[in-house]
Amino acid sequence: MSICKVCLFLFFFPFLSFAQLAKSYTPLPIQDTIPAITYTSLSKRLDVDKSQVAEPQKKVNNYIKYLYEERFKYVVSNFNDDYIITEGELTSYLQQILTNIYKSNPQLSQETMVYAFRSSIPNAFSFGDGNLAVTLGLLSRLKNDSQVAFILCHEMAHYHRKHGDKQIQALAKLNYDKELQKKLEHNNTYSYKKELIKSLELSITKHSRTYEFEADSIGLTYFLNTNYDRNAPVECMDILSKSDKGLDQNIIDFKKYFDFPDYPIKPSWLTYEKSTTWHKSEKDGEFGDSDTTHTHPNCMRRQAALKRQLQGKGAVTITSANDLFQSIVTQSTFEQITSHYHFKKYGKALFGSLLLLERYPENAYLHAMVSKCIYQLYTHQKNHEIGKVLEQPDSRFDDNYDQFLTFFQQLRLTEIASLGYFYSAGRRQIDASNEDFWHAYWLCSQLPVSKILPSKVKAEYAATFPKGKYLTNMP
Ligand SMILES: [Zn+2]
């Protein structure tokens, strides 16, 4: 039986080999809108949820329905804003593991779907309406199928125990709590409503502490019904507890990448002192968004609880990471770069590309990404908007990221332009058979220091790729 599953697996998932990635990478498609079939099934689900609301107070009833509608809109916006990956190997892989867990747990009806989610913050969530998600950042940190399975069991437990619905109900009751209303009488209704919606979002991304322990404990009972490795739950907590540190701590060798015969690197660029300031507030950006920073102190307590529950549960099976799993991890790592670029976090995309080039030094996709990001830094610097796409150094960042930010933040406009142009021109002889290279080279040929006209680059690209996918974007 299990052998059959493995065969099916390999048949459906053409995994990425090191040999392929040595040369290039083809990113997953990014959908612009929610697939119609998904929208329809979510709407149906919303109707069912609303029809089952049965609180004694009518206004509480209506308010719960209203919050379900808001939840529905929130989930749809996550599809429409390209965070949820609906197609491709990552999502199919997660879905396959989810199905395996349900097969081992016939007491549960298979009401959930799982998706890979475009975020680098290691996290997973249950939206409460049957949709589960695992971020690319978490996927790239896990070590085997069993760990993925435990993460999914935890999220399934949130769903099947209706933690999200319970939080919505509590929120609605709170909203009509007479005591609370008195206190809020002087509050502006609009901002109060906004606060409530915010707490709804929070209830999706950050379940309360009690629910976390319950999801671990119930999730573990689902997990123990499967054949996955029993070391995984405890290992997952170790991984989560370390998740505010970057996975790759290597210091980038700027001289290796940005020292050109016609444009030598300036030694002054390479001086670095660890930042002493805090530029980022706890509220905005990833410090604030990160679930893990808040759950950290909890991870070790959750691990202890899991260990207690696992005592005397029989032999541990050992699974080692297989080729498919390695391919999933690698794809998650590449897709984080693609996502950062798509969401205009050019600093992060550039940083990730430079780190990954250490492992795949001849990957044309990564080299093109470096050129494109520098081009974007140039245009944003020119419009005095670099702060939107490249963070300021911050003493709380990992050393390698802080050093990277220091390097790029000190450059003048013409220096950024020069790095972009010389970098992409330097790949001309090597990457000419790659379309991403041509797109990057065409962008960088528009930089003021360029020695080649964009029209000439376009003509050369068209000659090599008469049906090139970027041609339509080149006016
Ligand atoms: Zn949870």
Side-chain angles (χ1 to χ4, degrees), residues 129-267:
D129 62 347
N131 287 303
L132 314 179
V134 181
T135 65
L136 296 173
L138 181 54
L139 264 180
S140 64
R141 280 166 190 261
L142 297 178
K143 301 273 183 280
N144 51 53
D145 299 340
S146 300
Q147 295 179 357
V148 176
F150 179 69
I151 297 289
L152 293 183
C153 285
H154 173 101
E155 299 308 328
M156 285 164 64
H158 276 311
Y159 172 76
H160 288 285
R161 284 292 164 134
K162 301 199 179 300
H163 289 164
D165 292 355
K166 282 178 188 165
Q167 268 172 301
I168 281 185
Q169 286 153 15
L171 211 60
K173 282 180 194 161
L174 197 68
N175 193 37
Y176 291 101
D177 184 293
K178 286 206 175 96
E179 286 301 303
L180 190 74
Q181 286 220 315
K182 262 185 213 161
K183 282 184 206 158
L184 292 166
E185 243 159 38
H186 303 292
N187 270 19
N188 173 318
T189 325
Y190 174 73
S191 75
Y192 176 59
K193 217 169 177 184
K194 240 173 86 181
E195 278 305 306
L196 270 176
I197 298 304
K198 223 172 150 191
S199 33
L200 172 72
E201 265 186 49
L202 282 179
S203 76
I204 289 166
T205 52
K206 295 176 189 133
H207 287 287
S208 75
R209 201 166 275 214
T210 328
Y211 286 157
E212 282 315 311
F213 281 97
E214 188 175 306
D216 279 342
S217 147
I218 302 291
L220 187 59
T221 64
Y222 303 161
F223 185 81
L224 289 172
N225 290 334
T226 69
N227 290 321
Y228 289 111
D229 180 3
R230 292 180 177 189
N231 286 311
V234 168
E235 291 165 356
C236 281
M237 290 303 143
D238 274 331
I239 290 170
L240 284 175
S241 74
K242 292 177 191 131
S243 62
D244 61 349
K245 281 270 160 209
L247 201 50
D248 189 340
Q249 295 283 326
N250 287 328
I251 301 287
I252 291 164
D253 181 355
F254 298 100
K255 197 161 189 292
K256 181 163 116 189
Y257 295 103
F258 302 115
D259 187 28
F260 311 101
D262 293 335
Y263 195 76
I265 199 164
K266 293 183 187 164

Side-chain angles (χ1 to χ4, degrees), residues 420-431:
Y421 170 71
F422 286 104
Y423 193 94
S424 75
R427 301 300 302 178
R428 170 70 182 82
Q429 300 307 320
I430 315 160
D431 293 338

